[in-house]
Amino acid sequence: MKKAVVLIVAAVLLAFAGTAMAGMQIKLAVVTKPGSAQNIVADKFKTLIEERSPGNITVKVFHSASLGNETEILQQIQMNTIQMGIITDGPFDTFDPITRVISYPFLFKDNEQADQILDGPLGAEILKSLETSKFKGLCFSENGFRNLSNNKRPVNVPDDVKGLKIRVMSSTIHKAIWQALGANPTPMPWPIYTELEQGVIDGQENPLWVMEVYKFYEIQKYMTLTRHVYSSHIDVASLDWWNSLAPADQELIQKTIIDAAVFERQDNRSKNIARLAMLKDKGMQIVEHPDVDAFRAKVAELKNLDVYSAPKVKALLEKIMQATR
Ligand code: EAX
């Protein structure tokens, strides 16, 4: 009898120790390098969740494309060989066309409007839709408003863009924007320093932090604050993995990734004035006030493109346009 009790107690203790020791390690991937917007979200998430779940959840961040480009990372998240990713919205395009609405040109006036839509019920529709392609959409962090840089000439009006070879993300809407503007868009996965340096492409478009972190001021002479697209990251998990988690862990992960995203958006925005000054200092020629109305007019008809024709996509784009009018 006594022996049986001791055995049971021992078994229970072992079971507890086993859980604690096994813990859970989350593989989280970003394509960009330390200091990037995606990495700031990832690192903050790691710090916070390891603090909040001592010994239970640990996070290993894979960066600098060590697990592949963004499309390849997303495929591995679908298969649950990677559990989480902080991935730019563009490459989601081939997985779920609804994500195209975020990249609609000149959709959001400012940061506040982007937050209001993406953190609200319309953003939730996008996150929910991702379940069809085996992603659990957790929240949005940001890359930021995208600006054009190039090595050929200053760009003030759409005509200046004519014929420029511009690298774009793997995204049909990004390609359509630059086609409508008269450029020669070339889809290419990140990173693209070598292609810019060797002149395979004349230019690219990305938020200010990219110019700094990837030192594009060394290899790009001109930049224009076009702010043509607000670029988010979609912070996602593998749906299979998510569904295997205990509700308490789901809740903690969901809350913590939102905290990390909110932190990163503020951090990113607070640095833009200094970044602009630094880029000028490095000798870049910057057009701060291009003819935005002329750019807007050139892309005004993109909502009628085939890429928005799926009823679900069209409906959401219209709702966001109403809400941001
Ligand atoms: O964040 O591919 C891109 O242009 C993205 O913006 C890149 O991930 C940098």
Side-chain angles (χ1 to χ4, degrees), residues 31-32 36-38 70 86-89 91 143 146 167-170 188-192 204-207 209-210 214 231-233:
V31 75
T32 44
S36 72
Q38 290 90 332
E70 290 189 308
I86 314 298
I87 308 294
T88 319
D89 52 6
N143 231 347
R146 302 178 81 94
R167 174 271 177 178
V168 292
M169 289 187 284
S170 164
M188 242 176 230
W190 196 258
I192 56 168
Q204 62 91 46
E205 42 80 64
N206 251 305
W209 71 260
V210 170
Y214 282 92
S231 195
S232 71
H233 316 136

Side-chain angles (χ1 to χ4, degrees), residues 268-308:
N268 187 36
R269 293 164 190 176
S270 72
K271 291 174 178 163
N272 279 335
I273 290 175
R275 285 176 181 141
L276 197 58
M278 186 274 283
L279 295 172
K280 287 181 194 164
D281 214 50
K282 294 283 184 188
M284 285 198 81
Q285 284 189 33
I286 301 178
V287 176
E288 291 187 54
H289 303 288
D291 186 350
V292 173
D293 287 342
F295 281 92
R296 199 189 296 267
K298 282 266 182 193
V299 294
E301 294 312 311
L302 290 190
K303 58 180 176 297
N304 301 322
L305 277 186
D306 255 12
V307 300
Y308 288 112

Side-chain angles (χ1 to χ4, degrees), residues 40-298:
I40 289 170
V41 184
D43 291 346
K44 190 74 183 173
F45 174 72
K46 175 182 165 67
T47 305
L48 289 177
I49 203 136
E50 290 180 358
E51 269 169 26
R52 292 172 184 181
S53 66
N56 183 23
I57 303 179
T58 52
V59 178
K60 185 158 170 51
V61 176
F62 294 84
H63 58 80
S64 308
S66 58
L67 297 180
N69 64 40
E70 290 189 308
T71 304
E72 292 161 342
I73 293 171
L74 286 174
Q75 287 163 344
Q76 293 168 82
I77 292 175
Q78 284 181 311
M79 295 184 306
N80 191 18
T81 50
I82 299 174
Q83 284 71 52
M84 290 177 67
I86 314 298
I87 308 294
T88 319
D89 52 6
F92 278 94
D93 181 282
T94 49
F95 296 88
D96 187 342
I98 203 159
T99 56
R100 285 174 196 160
V101 301
I102 308 169
S103 305
Y104 194 78
F106 303 107
L107 184 62
F108 300 126
K109 265 199 289 291
D110 50 29
N111 295 323
E112 290 65 36
Q113 204 172 58
D115 290 352
Q116 187 202 326
I117 298 297
L118 294 176
D119 293 344
L122 299 178
E125 276 188 44
I126 300 172
L127 297 176
K128 181 76 190 156
S129 171
L130 290 170
E131 291 185 14
T132 318
S133 35
K134 300 195 52 134
F135 299 111
K136 169 68 187 173
L138 296 169
C139 66
F140 299 94
S141 44
E142 82 163 18
N143 231 347
F145 281 95
R146 302 178 81 94
N147 300 305
L148 175 70
S149 75
N150 87 96
N151 238 347
K152 290 278 186 214
R153 52 184 172 262
V155 170
N156 288 284
V157 294
D159 261 0
D160 298 329
V161 167
K162 270 217 175 95
L164 286 182
K165 210 160 173 201
I166 304 295
R167 174 271 177 178
V168 292
M169 289 187 284
S170 164
S171 149
T172 36
I173 179 61
H174 275 272
K175 193 164 175 213
I177 291 169
W178 292 99
Q179 265 163 350
L181 290 171
N184 182 1
T186 312
M188 242 176 230
W190 196 258
I192 56 168
Y193 188 97
T194 315
E195 288 78 1
L196 285 170
E197 190 180 28
Q198 296 176 347
V200 179
I201 40 178
D202 301 319
Q204 62 91 46
E205 42 80 64
N206 251 305
L208 289 176
W209 71 260
V210 170
M211 305 301 293
E212 179 191 16
V213 172
Y214 282 92
K215 297 195 162 66
F216 281 0
Y217 51 82
E218 293 176 348
I219 46 166
Q220 293 277 273
K221 182 113 195 82
Y222 307 101
M223 187 172 74
T224 301
L225 302 187
T226 45
R227 295 168 60 89
H228 51 282
V229 166
Y230 175 82
S231 195
S232 71
H233 316 136
I234 311 182
D235 303 346
V236 288
S238 161
L239 187 62
D240 283 348
W241 172 70
W242 186 259
N243 288 337
S244 76
L245 296 177
D249 286 337
Q250 289 180 341
E251 212 173 292
L252 180 66
I253 293 168
Q254 175 72 76
K255 178 177 181 348
T256 304
I257 192 72
I258 291 175
D259 291 345
V262 169
F263 169 85
E264 178 269 337
R265 293 193 301 215
Q266 285 323 112
D267 177 80
N268 187 36
R269 293 164 190 176
S270 72
K271 291 174 178 163
N272 279 335
I273 290 175
R275 285 176 181 141
L276 197 58
M278 186 274 283
L279 295 172
K280 287 181 194 164
D281 214 50
K282 294 283 184 188
M284 285 198 81
Q285 284 189 33
I286 301 178
V287 176
E288 291 187 54
H289 303 288
D291 186 350
V292 173
D293 287 342
F295 281 92
R296 199 189 296 267
K298 282 266 182 193

